[in-house]
Amino acid sequence: MRSINDSAPVQCNKKILINADSKTVWAVLTDIDNWATWQTDISQSKLHGELKPETAFDWKSGSAKIRSVIHTVNASSQFGWTGKSFGMLAIHNWTLTEADNKTTLEVNESMEGFLAALFKKPFNKNLEQGMQKWLELLKRECEQLSCSACNSKSFEK
């Protein structure tokens, strides 16, 4: 996995425990075309090809239109991309770890460039709030899917 830039002016590291297996979390996280159905800050997202390194995708978060390129795809364990917007470069990594049918999801991101350096404090605050919201929305979506699968299995008995 490509490391985030530890010397970037804007950085965020967060993690959350999701009551769903890593396959469920992976399926939701990597279904880029459907991010807007559960991630309320994203209005559009489109993967341009297969889910593999060097594939680009475009997405719109708030007023920012972002072109990203996938750098890491390790099924059910690691997913990452770089993104460019407003002259800034972001490196974004997700790590999934499953234990006891629950998944710890860790996200790390760095942002660099003139605007990131100029507006370091508010960008760090916004990134931290945005990442926390993304994790909470992803958790909710995955747990709803996981619960639906459990309920449908119980009806089959």
Side-chain angles (χ1 to χ4, degrees), residues 59 66-69 81-85 88-92 110:
W59 51 302
I66 305 162
R67 164 59 60 113
S68 293
V69 178
W81 66 80
T82 59
K84 291 184 179 179
S85 183
M88 292 187 298
L89 171 69
I91 302 170
H92 198 117
S110 64

Side-chain angles (χ1 to χ4, degrees), residues 24-55:
T24 300
V25 176
W26 177 261
V28 174
L29 177 62
T30 61
D31 187 6
I32 294 168
D33 289 347
N34 285 307
W35 280 354
T37 64
W38 58 268
Q39 213 308 358
T40 56
D41 291 337
I42 296 176
S43 58
Q44 302 170 1
S45 53
K46 179 66 180 160
L47 179 66
H48 303 291
E50 295 178 37
L51 187 72
K52 64 180 185 179
E54 312 232 350
T55 300

Side-chain angles (χ1 to χ4, degrees), residues 68-107:
S68 293
V69 178
I70 297 169
H71 63 72
T72 302
V73 178
N74 294 322
S76 298
S77 66
Q78 295 178 316
F79 183 51
W81 66 80
T82 59
K84 291 184 179 179
S85 183
F86 302 118
M88 292 187 298
L89 171 69
I91 302 170
H92 198 117
N93 295 324
W94 300 89
T95 303
L96 298 80
T97 307
E98 183 178 332
D100 299 324
N101 227 24
K102 295 179 182 181
T103 303
T104 299
L105 181 62
E106 183 174 1
V107 60

Side-chain angles (χ1 to χ4, degrees), residues 18-20 24-26 28-29 137-147:
I18 300 174
N19 295 310
T24 300
V25 176
W26 177 261
V28 174
L29 177 62
L137 290 168
L138 183 61
K139 175 182 172 73
R140 184 174 70 190
E141 181 70 11
C142 292
E143 289 178 355
Q144 285 176 348
L145 287 172
S146 185
C147 186

Side-chain angles (χ1 to χ4, degrees), residues 12-16 105-108 128 131-132 135:
C12 184
N13 302 301
K14 294 257 179 209
K15 77 171 57 169
I16 197 166
L105 181 62
E106 183 174 1
V107 60
N108 299 293
E128 184 171 331
M131 285 286 80
Q132 187 63 42
L135 286 171

